Amino acid sequence: MKWCAIFSIVLCPVTLASCISTETVVAPKVEQLRVPEAFTVPCPKADRRKWSTVKDIVGTATANEASLRVCAAQVDGVRRWNAGTGAAK
């Protein structure tokens, strides 16, 4: 009986000491990714001037096409950025 008591007294602290952990657990930091500012600029407004000549019509169509290209480039840039390839080149 004494042998078991001595064995328990010696073994119990050793066993309990292995349960103690000194590791510090750090919670992960949440970082919200945002679209670069260059891609959040509002798209240019459509040209709505009155037409008097064919030159006015062509000028308006050219201006609107350029606005659409700028807006499409912004959307493409956001898509590339979201895909992880970074900002537009």
Side-chain angles (χ1 to χ4, degrees), residues 11-35:
L11 188 61
C12 187
V14 172
T15 305
L16 292 177
S18 66
C19 294
I20 298 172
S21 175
T22 59
E23 283 185 47
T24 303
V25 178
V26 179
K29 181 181 176 185
V30 178
E31 184 177 330
Q32 183 178 3
L33 299 177
R34 301 182 77 56
V35 177

Side-chain angles (χ1 to χ4, degrees), residues 46-61:
D47 188 356
R48 300 278 185 220
R49 62 184 145 180
K50 299 280 185 198
W51 300 333
S52 299
T53 64
V54 173
K55 183 178 178 181
D56 292 340
I57 296 170
V58 172
T60 300

Side-chain angles (χ1 to χ4, degrees), residues 36-48:
E37 290 294 321
F39 299 138
T40 59
V41 176
C43 293
K45 299 288 182 197
D47 188 356
R48 300 278 185 220

